[in-house]
Amino acid sequence: MSQLALVIDLNVCVGCHACVTNCKEWNTSGHAGALADDRPYGEDPTGTFFNRVQTYEVGEFPNTETVHFPKSCLHCEDPPCVPVCPTGASYKRKEDGIVLVDYDKCIGCRYCSWACPYGAREIDEHQKVMKKCTLCVDRIYDTNLPEAERKPACVLACPTSARIFGDVHDPDSEVSQTIRERAGYQLMPEWGTKPSNHYLPRRISHYKIHPDELERADNPLKKEDYQSPDLSEPSLDDVTSW
């Protein structure tokens, strides 16, 4: 039995969110139906996404690094979201291992969301059903598309080729070879869910930063011999009538 999955290279992901954007564009117009997107430019934006990129800063200044961590449904081989579903809406396909949600059966109880240790499921506040990554199941089997385009939308959009798609049960596939050769690992394997998606670790690079490198050599304030204002003096707004 095959197991389709993604391999994500954390070493080359730049956090551009192209995968997030293309995923939402494809799936909001696909069989998953419109994905909620409320107040995208307001003070409290919210919405439903199949894929998100989380960004972290590690280390202490000045020795810091920015890590971009894409995360979506990991299509576990032993998915805890499936047995807790009271209606059978959450299920795992035998032919390719993809975990899906039958929206006609889903009642929005969120049991699957509570069972998922990765936080990969989201409630669509408009349709009141749980939604998640489908690995673009409506795209990867579409014979109307050129074979090169029968990949998840996020894979096609990535400008740095940080995402690879294939069958992790096929030892000769690109994903399997990449996992073996580059020490690909599963996320939180201690939960026993056997996630199919794998991550490639970041390569550690050490840089020596000298104190003088923390200041810009072309700082325009220094070039103009800028003097900090005396805060005890009135500002221009205080003495000027507009």
Side-chain angles (χ1 to χ4, degrees):
M1 184 179 71
S2 65
Q3 175 62 65
L4 298 180
L6 297 172
V7 173
I8 301 173
D9 190 347
L10 299 179
N11 199 62
V12 296
C13 176
V14 295
C16 67
H17 287 71
C19 58
V20 177
T21 304
N22 206 38
C23 168
K24 185 142 190 174
E25 187 278 332
W26 173 263
N27 286 290
T28 199
S29 57
H31 81 292
L35 301 180
D37 204 10
D38 297 328
R39 303 178 301 280
Y41 305 107
E43 294 182 358
D44 184 27
T46 186
T48 305
F49 290 83
F50 287 0
N51 174 48
R52 294 180 183 268
V53 177
Q54 299 170 337
T55 299
Y56 306 92
E57 185 174 287
V58 297
E60 294 185 2
F61 180 83
N63 301 308
T64 59
E65 291 183 86
T66 300
V67 178
H68 303 292
F69 197 89
K71 192 175 69 173
S72 58
C73 173
L74 303 174
H75 298 279
C76 303
E77 298 200 39
D78 187 12
C81 57
V82 171
V84 301
C85 181
T87 65
S90 290
Y91 65 100
K92 184 176 178 67
R93 289 165 39 127
K94 293 182 179 180
E95 61 268 32
D96 52 22
I98 298 177
V99 178
L100 295 174
V101 178
D102 186 336
Y103 301 135
D104 292 330
K105 294 181 179 179
C106 180
I107 58 175
C109 66
R110 309 192 191 198
Y111 281 5
C112 59
S113 178
W114 297 334
C116 176
Y118 307 105
R121 290 178 171 238
E122 301 187 15
I123 186 76
D124 189 310
E125 294 294 350
H126 291 187
Q127 298 180 1
K128 302 301 181 183
V129 294
M130 298 304 297
K131 294 189 175 180
K132 56 174 286 301
C133 165
T134 65
L135 285 180
C136 291
V137 68
D138 57 333
R139 182 187 185 96
I140 60 178
Y141 293 114
D142 189 349
T143 56
N144 293 319
L145 294 174
E147 188 172 354
E149 296 183 12
R150 296 176 201 169
K151 299 178 181 179
C154 60
V155 175
L156 294 172
C158 183
T160 63
S161 299
R163 307 172 77 93
I164 310 172
F165 172 69
D167 183 1
V168 293
H169 281 184
D170 178 1
D172 297 322
S173 67
E174 182 184 6
V175 287
S176 294
Q177 293 179 24
T178 301
I179 291 170
R180 289 196 305 269
E181 295 171 1
R182 299 186 55 191
Y185 65 91
Q186 297 173 319
L187 185 62
M188 297 162 57
E190 64 273 14
W191 285 96
T193 60
K194 300 179 182 178
S196 299
N197 285 6
H198 285 65
Y199 290 89
L200 301 182
R202 287 169 55 85
R203 292 192 292 268
I204 299 176
S205 301
H206 296 284
Y207 298 96
K208 179 64 176 178
I209 301 178
H210 300 281
D212 59 339
E213 294 179 310
L214 300 178
E215 298 184 17
R216 286 179 51 185
D218 60 342
N219 191 330
L221 299 181
K222 288 192 173 183
K223 288 184 177 181
E224 299 173 4
D225 193 25
Y226 176 79
Q227 300 294 326
S228 298
D230 185 353
L231 299 181
S232 63
E233 295 291 330
S235 67
L236 187 62
D237 288 333
D238 294 330
V239 299
T240 303
S241 174
W242 300 102

